[in-house]
Amino acid sequence: MKKILLYSFLIVTSVVTLIPFIWMLSTSLMTDGAASVFPPKFFPEEVVLQQYQTLFTRLNIARNFFNSIFLSVVVTTISLFFNSMAGYAFAKYRFKGKDKLFNLLLVNMIVPSQITMLPLFLMLKSVGLINTYMAIIITGMANIFGIFLIRQHCLSIPDSLIEAARMDGATDFQIYRKIILPLAVPILVTLGIFTFLGTWNDFLWPLIALTDESMYTLPVALSNLMLEHTRDPELMMAGSVLTIIPVIIVFLALQRYYIKGIMMGSVKE
Amino acid sequence: MNSKEKKNIKNSYSFASTAAYFFIAPALLAILIFFFIPVIAAFVISFTDFDIYALGNFNTLRFVGINNYIRLFEDPLFWLSLKNTSYYVILATPLSIAVSLSAALLLNSKLLKYKSIFRLSYFMPYVTTLVAVAIVWRFIYHPKFGILNYFLGLIGVNPIDWLGDPNWAMPAIVIMSVWKSFGYSMIIFIAGLQNIPDDLYEAASLEGANEWQKFKSITLPLLAPTTLFISIITIVGYFQLFAEPYIMTQGGPLNSTLSIVQYMYQEGFRWWNMGYSASIAFVLFFIILIITVIQFKVQKITSK
C-alpha cells in the first residue's frame, strides 16, 4: 500500500515536472493560433510542421543553429585541451609557486562572471572582435572549474606510470598525450558535456558580444524573436524545441558522466 | 642504478618543471587575459565616468573617485533591484531546498525500483536552455490561454495575471526557477544521503524510533554540511538572476522584477553608463563575497 502511494506520487510529480516540455512539443506542432484558445489544448488537432517551416525559411534559424553547434563544439574542444594540460601539470608536476597559483585560481571561482563583461566588451571592441565567433571562443578557452576537475582526476593516476614512460624516453608531451589523456577520458567526457551545454545554454555574454542576427546563438535568437512574436506561442515553442532537443540528446546519451561531475564539483573543499 | 641513470632522472625532473610551465601557460594566459585583467579593469572603471562619449574618445574619461558608489547609494532604482533580487532569493532558496531534499529522500528510499527514471525526469529541467524554458513558461503563465490558470481553474482558483501583476510576477519567476534548478541540489542531496551509514538507522529502529525521529536526529544533522553547501551555491546562483525576468517580464510590471544583473546590463549595455554599471557589478560581487565568507565561518564553527 505504502509502495503504491509512493509510486503514484513519484509518477504524478515526474509528469508535472515534464509537462512544460510535453506542452512545448505539442504546441510547436499546431497551426497558427491553435494554442491561443480556452480551454487550452494539450494535443494538436492536426499535426503540422508549419512553425518549423517558418523558422527555417522565413526566419533563417538554421544559421543560428549552426552558430550554436559550431561555437559549442569549438569551445569544448579547445578548452578540453587547455584545461587538461593545466590540470595535469597542477596534479603531477612540482614547480615554483604551484600551490599559491592553484589557490589563487580556486579563490577566484567565486567572482561572478558578470563583472568581467564590461571590460571584455571594451577589450574585444578595440581589437574588432565584437560580433565575431572569436568573441565567444577566446573567452571560453579555459576555465578554473575545468582545471580543478581535471586535476582532481589526475591526482589518482599513479606516478609510477609517468616515471616508467619517462625511463623509456618519452617526452613530457608524449606522456600527456599517450598516457594521461587516455586515462582521463571519463573526466574529459564529463567536462566536455559541462562545457558543451554551458556554451550552448549561455545567454548574457553572447547577448552582449554578438550584435547581428546572423551571428546570434539560438538563445539570443530566441529572445530576439520573442520581441516580435509574443502572440505566437506555436512559433516560439517550435524555436524552444529546436534549442532544447540537442541538449536533451547530449544529456541522455551521457547522463552518467554528467551526474558524476556534479557530485565531484560538490566536494571541492 | 648507475650514476648515468641517476643523472638522467635528475635531468628529466629539472626538464619537468619547464614542461609544467608549458602545460599551464595556454590556460593561465587565457584566464589572465580574459578573466583577471577584466576583473581589475572593471574595478578601475567603476571609479570613472566611462560613458558613451568615452566609448568614442578615451580622452573624455575622468576619474570620479567613489562617486558612482555614492550615486548608487542614492539611486531608488538600484535599491529596488536589490530589494527585488533579495526577495527572489529569500523566496526561492528555501523552496528549492525543500523540494530538492524531498525529492532526494524519496529517491533514496529502499522500497522503490526504477528510481533512475524518476531521477532523470526531475533532473531534466536543470540541463535545458534557460532562455527556451523561460519562453515556454511565459506562455504557461498566460492569463487567458496558459495551462497553469487552466489547472488552477479546475480546482476553483480564479485566473491570476501571473506576469502582469506586480505582486505575482516575482513569485511566478520563483516557481519557474525552482522547477528549473531543484534537480541539481537533488543530486547533491542524494550523494549526501548515500554517505550516511545504514547501521545508524538500524540502531535507531531497534530503539523504536519512528521515521520522523530518525529524519530529525540522524538525517538532518548528518546532512548539515551538504545543506550548507547547497544553500550557498543556490543563494549565489540566484543572486545572479537575469535571463528569467529578461525573457518573461523585461523587469516589469512597474519594475517589480528588475534584478541587479539586469540593472547592470541596462546601465552598461543599453545606456552605455559603463562606469556606473561596473559599480553595480562590484556591489553584486561584494554581496556574493559576504555570503561565501559567512559560509566558511559557519563551516568552521560546525566542524569544531
Side-chain angles (χ1 to χ4, degrees), chain B residues 281-294:
Chain B
F282 266 91
V283 172
L284 176 72
F285 176 39
F286 190 63
I287 293 171
I288 289 175
L289 191 68
I290 290 176
I291 294 167
T292 317
V293 168
I294 291 176

Side-chain angles (χ1 to χ4, degrees), chain B:
Chain B
M1 200 182 276
N2 62 37
S3 67
K4 199 185 162 207
E5 273 176 351
K6 258 187 197 156
K7 200 179 161 216
N8 269 345
I9 290 178
K10 204 175 161 229
N11 275 346
S12 78
Y13 267 112
S14 65
F15 179 63
S17 115
T18 338
Y21 292 123
F22 165 78
F23 279 134
I24 60 169
L28 286 203
L29 270 179
I31 291 171
L32 176 73
I33 299 172
F34 302 114
F35 182 77
F36 282 109
I37 292 179
V39 169
I40 295 163
F43 192 62
V44 174
I45 290 175
S46 79
F47 295 103
T48 68
D49 64 349
F50 206 123
D51 57 11
I52 193 156
Y53 302 107
L55 207 55
N57 178 4
F58 276 105
N59 293 331
T60 66
L61 191 68
R62 283 175 310 155
F63 273 92
V64 293
I66 58 165
N67 275 6
N68 286 325
Y69 293 92
I70 294 173
R71 194 176 133 203
L72 210 55
F73 199 74
E74 293 164 348
D75 179 354
L77 213 50
F78 168 72
W79 284 107
L80 185 62
S81 76
L82 184 60
K83 195 188 108 201
N84 291 338
T85 313
S86 311
Y87 178 51
Y88 166 81
V89 172
I90 289 167
L91 280 186
T93 308
L95 194 60
S96 169
I97 290 179
V99 173
S100 54
L101 180 57
S102 316
L105 287 169
L106 262 176
L107 292 180
N108 201 45
S109 156
K110 297 268 177 320
L111 291 171
L112 303 170
K113 278 186 238 165
Y114 314 112
K115 282 184 281 202
S116 56
I117 298 176
F118 297 116
R119 190 179 68 178
L120 197 65
S121 18
Y122 289 154
F123 191 70
M124 195 72 90
Y126 179 71
V127 290
T128 52
T129 313
L130 182 52
V131 169
V133 295
I135 286 172
V136 174
W137 277 81
R138 187 168 157 163
F139 290 113
I140 287 177
Y141 282 135
H142 193 284
K144 266 215 312 261
F145 310 127
I147 51 174
L148 184 61
N149 273 350
Y150 171 72
F151 284 125
L152 290 175
L154 295 181
I155 54 168
V157 178
N158 283 330
I160 297 169
D161 188 3
W162 289 100
L163 300 174
D165 181 334
N167 293 318
W168 279 112
M170 198 52 108
I173 290 179
V174 167
I175 294 170
M176 187 252 155
S177 301
V178 171
W179 169 83
K180 172 87 169 67
S181 62
F182 81 93
Y184 172 80
S185 329
M186 176 190 78
I187 297 290
I188 298 175
F189 269 132
I190 291 177
L193 286 171
Q194 283 165 355
N195 282 335
I196 302 178
D198 280 339
D199 40 349
L200 285 180
Y201 292 107
E202 282 156 22
S205 302
L206 285 179
E207 286 171 25
N210 63 31
E211 291 298 317
W212 171 246
Q213 284 168 328
K214 280 191 253 177
F215 175 72
K216 221 177 57 177
S217 51
I218 301 174
T219 314
L220 270 191
L222 288 177
L223 217 51
T226 313
T227 315
L228 185 67
F229 172 77
I230 291 176
S231 317
I232 298 307
I233 291 280
T234 310
I235 293 174
V236 168
Y238 280 168
F239 257 108
Q240 299 172 35
L241 175 71
F242 173 71
E244 296 93 328
Y246 184 89
I247 298 290
M248 292 162 76
T249 59
Q250 291 83 48
L254 302 172
N255 288 323
S256 62
T257 56
L258 180 74
S259 71
I260 301 176
V261 176
Q262 202 187 345
Y263 192 45
M264 180 209 92
Y265 172 79
Q266 274 179 16
E267 284 297 321
F269 295 99
R270 188 170 299 160
W271 312 120
W272 304 106
N273 294 324
M274 302 197 115
Y276 194 49
S277 175
S279 69
I280 301 175
F282 266 91
V283 172
L284 176 72
F285 176 39
F286 190 63
I287 293 171
I288 289 175
L289 191 68
I290 290 176
I291 294 167
T292 317
V293 168
I294 291 176
Q295 178 215 7
F296 280 119
K297 293 266 186 255
V298 173
Q299 215 168 35
K300 263 195 189 144
I301 294 166
T302 49
S303 62
K304 259 176 197 168

Side-chain angles (χ1 to χ4, degrees), chain A residues 2-3 6-7 9-11 13-14 16-21 23-24 35-40 42 82-83 85-86 88-90 93-97 101 104-105 108 110-125 138-139 141-144 147 163 166-167 171-173 176 197 200-201 203-204 207-208 219-220 222-223 226-227 229-233 236-237 240 243-244 247-248 251-252 255 258-259 262-263 265-269, chain B residues 1 9 12-13 15-17 19-24 26-28 30-31 33-39 41-42 45 50 55 58 106-107 109 111-133 135-140 144-147 149-151 179 182 184 187-188 190-191 194 211 229 233 236 240 242-243 246-247 250 261 264-265 268-269 272 274-275 277-278 281-282 284-285 288-289 292 295-296 299:
Chain A
K2 198 180 165 193
K3 256 190 186 176
L6 275 179
Y7 274 119
F9 184 75
L10 279 174
I11 292 171
T13 50
S14 299
V16 169
T17 311
L18 295 180
I19 275 185
F21 297 123
W23 193 54
M24 165 186 78
S36 296
V37 291
F38 187 87
F42 284 90
F82 282 14
N83 288 335
M85 286 199 299
Y88 163 53
F90 274 116
Y93 281 93
R94 256 174 292 161
F95 55 90
K96 235 187 184 172
L101 199 57
L104 177 73
L105 289 179
N108 274 282
I110 65 160
V111 179
S113 63
Q114 291 90 346
I115 283 193
T116 61
M117 288 178 187
L118 284 166
L120 271 181
F121 175 84
L122 296 172
M123 211 158 104
L124 295 186
K125 190 174 175 292
I138 57 176
T139 51
M141 283 190 305
N143 64 77
I144 301 174
I147 296 175
E163 270 153 29
R166 200 166 273 157
M167 293 283 216
T171 66
D172 288 81
F173 193 74
Y176 159 76
L197 295 185
W200 183 278
N201 292 339
F203 181 53
L204 185 54
L207 178 71
I208 291 167
V220 184
L222 275 190
S223 84
M226 191 71 195
L227 298 175
H229 293 274
T230 40
R231 284 161 195 278
D232 301 322
M236 291 312 302
M237 294 291 186
S240 297
T243 309
I244 288 176
V247 166
I248 290 188
F251 169 67
L252 286 184
Q255 46 154 320
Y258 189 94
I259 288 178
I262 290 189
M263 290 179 171
S266 72
V267 287
K268 63 177 153 216
E269 303 321 323
Chain B
M1 200 182 276
I9 290 178
S12 78
Y13 267 112
F15 179 63
S17 115
Y21 292 123
F22 165 78
F23 279 134
I24 60 169
L28 286 203
I31 291 171
I33 299 172
F34 302 114
F35 182 77
F36 282 109
I37 292 179
V39 169
I45 290 175
F50 206 123
L55 207 55
F58 276 105
L106 262 176
L107 292 180
S109 156
L111 291 171
L112 303 170
K113 278 186 238 165
Y114 314 112
K115 282 184 281 202
S116 56
I117 298 176
F118 297 116
R119 190 179 68 178
L120 197 65
S121 18
Y122 289 154
F123 191 70
M124 195 72 90
Y126 179 71
V127 290
T128 52
T129 313
L130 182 52
V131 169
V133 295
I135 286 172
V136 174
W137 277 81
R138 187 168 157 163
F139 290 113
I140 287 177
K144 266 215 312 261
F145 310 127
I147 51 174
N149 273 350
Y150 171 72
F151 284 125
W179 169 83
F182 81 93
Y184 172 80
I187 297 290
I188 298 175
I190 291 177
Q194 283 165 355
E211 291 298 317
F229 172 77
I233 291 280
V236 168
Q240 299 172 35
F242 173 71
Y246 184 89
I247 298 290
Q250 291 83 48
V261 176
M264 180 209 92
Y265 172 79
F269 295 99
W272 304 106
M274 302 197 115
S277 175
F282 266 91
L284 176 72
F285 176 39
I288 289 175
L289 191 68
T292 317
Q295 178 215 7
F296 280 119
Q299 215 168 35

Side-chain angles (χ1 to χ4, degrees), chain A residues 91-262:
Chain A
K92 288 296 175 194
Y93 281 93
R94 256 174 292 161
F95 55 90
K96 235 187 184 172
K98 179 174 96 167
D99 294 336
K100 270 187 194 153
L101 199 57
F102 191 67
N103 286 335
L104 177 73
L105 289 179
L106 282 192
V107 164
N108 274 282
M109 271 168 74
I110 65 160
V111 179
S113 63
Q114 291 90 346
I115 283 193
T116 61
M117 288 178 187
L118 284 166
L120 271 181
F121 175 84
L122 296 172
M123 211 158 104
L124 295 186
K125 190 174 175 292
S126 68
V127 289
L129 286 181
I130 285 300
N131 200 32
T132 67
Y133 289 139
M134 285 309 271
I136 306 296
I137 296 170
I138 57 176
T139 51
M141 283 190 305
N143 64 77
I144 301 174
F145 178 71
I147 296 175
F148 167 79
L149 217 56
I150 304 266
R151 173 184 172 268
Q152 294 307 92
H153 185 89
C154 286
L155 285 175
S156 66
I157 297 175
D159 287 343
S160 55
L161 275 179
I162 299 165
E163 270 153 29
R166 200 166 273 157
M167 293 283 216
D168 292 341
T171 66
D172 288 81
F173 193 74
Q174 280 169 338
I175 293 173
Y176 159 76
R177 207 168 59 92
K178 299 246 170 73
I179 295 174
I180 303 300
L181 279 191
L183 287 173
V185 165
I187 200 69
L188 291 176
V189 175
T190 300
L191 183 59
I193 317 168
F194 277 147
T195 316
F196 183 89
L197 295 185
T199 314
W200 183 278
N201 292 339
D202 196 14
F203 181 53
L204 185 54
W205 176 241
L207 178 71
I208 291 167
L210 305 172
T211 50
D212 272 351
E213 278 179 36
S214 65
M215 291 303 292
Y216 286 170
T217 56
L218 278 172
V220 184
L222 275 190
S223 84
N224 189 46
L225 211 57
M226 191 71 195
L227 298 175
E228 296 163 38
H229 293 274
T230 40
R231 284 161 195 278
D232 301 322
E234 305 84 8
L235 180 77
M236 291 312 302
M237 294 291 186
S240 297
V241 170
L242 280 179
T243 309
I244 288 176
I245 291 269
V247 166
I248 290 188
I249 293 174
V250 170
F251 169 67
L252 286 184
L254 301 164
Q255 46 154 320
R256 198 164 306 156
Y257 295 94
Y258 189 94
I259 288 178
K260 205 188 77 196
I262 290 189

